Amino acid sequence: MALKRQLWKPPFADFPSWSCPACEFGTLALMEGSLTIVETGRSEESKRHDAWEPTWKDERFIAMLVCNNVNCKESVAACGRTRHVDDHDYERQELNWARLFQPTFLAEAPPVFPIPEHCPHEIKRELMQAFSVMWSDVGLSANRLRSAIEALLDQQKIQKTTVQSSGRRVRLTLHRRIGVFRNKNADAARSLEAVKWLGNVGSHASLDALTIDDLLDGFELFEHAIDRVYIRREEQLRKLAKVINKQKGKRRHSR
């Protein structure tokens, strides 16, 4: 399933309907009366300048988001900064400025994509850490995705070391471990290798080397790998179609 990227690319005019990190069934909504916005001292000082306009305004916000599932009602704290953009109505010649929200941290972070229940805890932990810093540090988030690859390969019992001809045992690089995994699941390995390259850039390049779109590419590729390893949706659908075709649509469900 393709990611709904508009949910994860700030700034936002309103808080998106993110999935609840607890139940993943409900969605998060702003708790009435919980939004607090405060302008910074330096921003207040800038108003003394003759050329000041609302785009100079620098604010911080905090808010509480609550799951709309009545059986859950999980709460998530959000914080970040705002920006003001030109939203003029030129036809009516009305002067308007729109406030947009740029989150930097959510506790607990909502999942960018659904993590299967039977996905090992070690992998889920790394993914949730990647989700939690995706807006504050894109490179770090990509690096946590790289760590999630290591966790997946560990869970798949892919060797970490090899013995050289000299008899010395050495550690395999992540690239070589993915190569070993390719013999087991080529499709998933192809996606994980792409995620690895993004993680490498996040670890060693400049702060602005990766964009939020690059990171979302990594999440989408990792989701594909999880599907191929733990869910096998395509294989299940292929088997289902085979059964229905064989029985010419007369297959009956047990429920």
Side-chain angles (χ1 to χ4, degrees), residues 235-247:
E235 180 182 332
Q236 292 175 7
L237 291 174
R238 187 166 54 247
K239 290 179 179 179
L240 176 60
K242 183 178 180 180
V243 171
I244 293 175
N245 288 334
K246 184 177 181 180
Q247 299 186 9

Side-chain angles (χ1 to χ4, degrees), residues 66-118:
V66 180
C67 178
N68 63 6
N69 178 3
V70 294
N71 295 317
C72 176
K73 294 185 179 181
E74 175 71 310
S75 58
V76 171
C79 66
R81 62 194 311 164
T82 71
R83 54 184 286 199
H84 290 73
V85 296
D86 181 341
D87 189 31
H88 295 181
D89 187 332
Y90 292 100
E91 291 185 2
R92 297 183 180 180
Q93 296 185 342
E94 292 181 355
L95 182 64
N96 297 309
W97 297 91
R99 173 187 279 129
L100 302 179
F101 295 93
Q102 174 80 45
T104 54
F105 186 73
L106 279 77
E108 175 180 4
V112 175
F113 61 84
I115 302 175
E117 289 185 9
H118 45 285

Side-chain angles (χ1 to χ4, degrees), residues 70-185:
V70 294
N71 295 317
C72 176
K73 294 185 179 181
E74 175 71 310
S75 58
V76 171
C79 66
R81 62 194 311 164
T82 71
R83 54 184 286 199
H84 290 73
V85 296
D86 181 341
D87 189 31
H88 295 181
D89 187 332
Y90 292 100
E91 291 185 2
R92 297 183 180 180
Q93 296 185 342
E94 292 181 355
L95 182 64
N96 297 309
W97 297 91
R99 173 187 279 129
L100 302 179
F101 295 93
Q102 174 80 45
T104 54
F105 186 73
L106 279 77
E108 175 180 4
V112 175
F113 61 84
I115 302 175
E117 289 185 9
H118 45 285
C119 180
H121 171 73
E122 293 78 10
I123 301 172
K124 182 175 182 179
R125 180 184 60 207
E126 296 294 343
L127 289 174
M128 293 306 295
Q129 290 183 359
F131 299 157
S132 70
V133 296
M134 63 180 294
W135 291 315
S136 58
D137 193 328
V138 172
L140 178 58
S141 182
N143 193 246
R144 298 318 305 181
L145 264 184
R146 193 180 188 280
S147 297
I149 299 174
E150 296 273 15
L152 188 151
L153 296 178
D154 291 346
Q155 192 277 332
Q156 290 292 299
K157 304 189 185 306
I158 302 302
Q159 65 196 74
K160 295 182 179 181
T161 62
T162 188
V163 178
Q164 296 179 326
S165 57
S166 63
R168 180 188 176 197
R169 181 171 292 278
V170 295
R171 186 175 181 84
L172 290 177
T173 64
L174 178 56
H175 189 80
R176 289 190 62 186
R177 292 189 76 199
I178 293 173
V180 174
F181 181 57
R182 185 172 283 108
N183 297 324
K184 185 175 182 179
N185 193 321

Side-chain angles (χ1 to χ4, degrees), residues 33-73:
S34 71
L35 177 61
T36 300
I37 301 172
V38 178
E39 189 171 1
T40 67
R42 283 180 294 182
S43 178
E44 290 278 8
E45 182 69 21
S46 71
K47 292 177 180 178
R48 299 183 180 182
H49 197 287
D50 292 340
W52 183 90
E53 61 179 32
T55 55
W56 293 23
K57 189 177 292 187
D58 188 17
E59 300 170 324
R60 302 293 182 267
F61 77 85
I62 56 174
M64 292 301 300
L65 310 176
V66 180
C67 178
N68 63 6
N69 178 3
V70 294
N71 295 317
C72 176
K73 294 185 179 181

Side-chain angles (χ1 to χ4, degrees), residues 227-242:
D227 179 83
R228 292 299 182 268
V229 176
Y230 298 107
I231 303 176
R232 301 185 179 93
R233 184 180 294 109
E234 186 174 316
E235 180 182 332
Q236 292 175 7
L237 291 174
R238 187 166 54 247
K239 290 179 179 179
L240 176 60
K242 183 178 180 180

